[in-house]
Amino acid sequence: MTERVLDKILPPSVAEALKPLAADKLCEVRLRSGGAVTALYNGRYMYVTPRGISDSYAQAIVLDAPTVMQVMLLACEKSLYAFNDRICQGFLTLAGGVRVGIAGETVWEGDRIKTIKNFTALDIRIPHEVRGCGEKVAELLRCGHGYHSTLIVSPPGAGKTTLLRDLTRIVSSRPRPCNVLVVDERDEIAAVADGRPTHNVGRNTDVISGCTKEFAFSRGIRAMRPDVIVTDELCGAKDVAAVESAVQGGVSVFASVHADSHKRLREKRIFASLLANKCFTRFVDVSERNGPGTVEGVFDADFREVAGGA
């Protein structure tokens, strides 16, 4: 599905240049107005040339502003207006969980963004399923009543969503049934299309997507009675409040946050109550040290090491 999405939106010269590459190693394609096309391939940023990828800027494909706009139009199914709510959030999520980050000129109306125009760059991020990458971690998250509420901590692009997705699949597919609810605000974990997840998130998983965590947590707990809620990228007070309410109500939560290690969480004011109330009893540090998804360690609610990393 990912190849079809890229073929649909990318300029033919770029799509053709990427075809010989191994799909499981291509993680990102960056398009810049007036700049060279780059790709994150096998852990390295390289220039995309008519013959593939290279370290040479001189050989790179360069796109002009109208071409970048054409890519946006295709990503929006030729209607920027229909996708404006997502554009205002700075990203689009396409079929298969392909995510297009947007940079450009913001237009404000009062205290809110009305739209983004004159697009200067698009960052096309390509998700991957790595089945089995969460097996060892999953065993460390078990507890007497089910699973520890767990926060995966990593810098952007280090593989936290891939690990979170595999943990969802594992927990949801154990012999003893466990009801898992994925709160997929950005359509990146399950990537639902036509009412079905396009990623394998397990046998007993339900998905609420395209809405805020605040809405999905409160409605989901009442409507779907989950044992575990899985969500990505906690980034505000309302997200934190939703997690606190769920944990206090007896639901385990698997979530993620951007930071270089769990120790940094003490510096984030919005996490003070989560840490003080020990809402998360496991923290998993993830990095790119040995490639995306490198587990650096697993820690308990008091930040004591439960298990070392790779």
Side-chain angles (χ1 to χ4, degrees):
M1 177 174 285
T2 297
E3 282 190 19
R4 293 199 301 272
V5 172
L6 295 181
D7 286 344
K8 176 182 175 182
I9 67 172
L10 288 175
S13 60
V14 177
E16 286 300 315
L18 297 176
K19 282 190 185 303
L21 303 183
D24 62 336
K25 295 180 180 179
L26 180 63
C27 297
E28 190 176 305
V29 181
R30 285 180 178 260
L31 314 177
R32 294 183 172 98
S33 177
V37 179
T38 60
L40 178 58
Y41 184 74
N42 200 24
R44 290 181 59 205
Y45 277 105
M46 302 184 74
Y47 295 108
V48 178
T49 77
R51 297 184 178 181
I53 54 175
S54 168
D55 290 320
S56 173
Y57 175 83
Q59 300 176 33
I61 296 171
V62 175
L63 303 182
D64 57 18
T67 303
V68 173
M69 173 58 105
Q70 180 64 19
V71 173
M72 267 298 293
L73 284 171
L74 292 173
C76 294
E77 300 174 10
K78 299 187 178 181
S79 175
L80 296 177
Y81 177 81
F83 284 77
N84 192 58
D85 286 347
R86 293 296 180 94
I87 290 172
C88 289
Q89 295 180 52
F91 70 92
L92 303 172
T93 305
L94 310 182
V98 174
R99 182 175 175 182
V100 182
I102 303 163
E105 181 184 343
T106 56
V107 179
W108 288 78
E109 186 174 70
D111 60 352
R112 71 181 188 89
I113 294 177
K114 182 178 180 180
T115 192
I116 299 175
K117 64 179 184 177
N118 298 330
F119 306 107
T120 59
L122 304 176
D123 178 17
I124 303 170
R125 295 174 61 180
I126 302 157
H128 295 286
E129 286 188 57
V130 184
R131 294 191 192 181
C133 70
E135 291 286 355
K136 291 181 180 179
V137 173
E139 292 305 313
L140 298 171
L141 306 186
R142 287 177 177 268
C143 59
H145 62 276
Y147 291 90
H148 288 279
S149 285
T150 300
L151 188 62
I152 298 173
V153 184
S154 89
K160 60 178 174 46
T161 305
T162 301
L163 176 58
L164 197 60
R165 184 184 300 118
D166 200 50
L167 288 174
T168 305
R169 178 190 65 81
I170 293 165
V171 168
S172 175
S173 301
R174 295 289 193 196
R176 181 181 177 183
C178 176
N179 292 318
V180 178
L181 176 65
V182 170
V183 173
D184 208 358
E185 186 174 5
R186 298 172 180 84
D187 284 314
E188 290 186 285
I189 302 173
V192 170
D194 299 323
R196 297 184 62 184
T198 57
H199 295 311
N200 185 345
V201 288
R203 293 193 290 262
N204 297 289
T205 297
D206 308 304
V207 182
I208 298 177
S209 58
C211 63
T212 65
K213 296 179 181 67
E214 179 187 27
F215 176 91
F217 269 64
S218 63
R219 304 310 194 276
I221 289 172
R222 291 199 296 268
M224 304 307 297
R225 203 204 68 74
D227 300 301
V228 178
I229 293 179
V230 179
T231 195
D232 207 2
E233 295 186 15
L234 303 182
C235 60
K238 290 182 178 180
D239 290 1
V240 168
V243 170
E244 285 186 313
S245 179
V247 172
Q248 290 164 2
V251 180
S252 296
V253 175
F254 292 177
S256 69
V257 67
H258 285 148
D260 57 9
S261 82
H262 66 283
K263 295 178 182 178
R264 291 285 190 185
L265 299 179
R266 290 197 175 105
E267 301 171 10
K268 293 177 179 281
R269 187 174 301 173
I270 63 168
F271 285 98
S273 60
L274 279 176
L275 297 179
N277 295 324
K278 299 185 178 180
C279 292
F280 289 110
T281 49
R282 289 292 184 269
F283 297 89
V284 182
D285 284 356
V286 175
S287 78
E288 291 185 276
R289 184 169 56 89
N290 294 323
T294 300
V295 175
E296 297 289 353
V298 180
F299 307 86
D300 68 11
D302 296 310
F303 288 5
R304 294 175 302 202
E305 189 173 78
V306 173

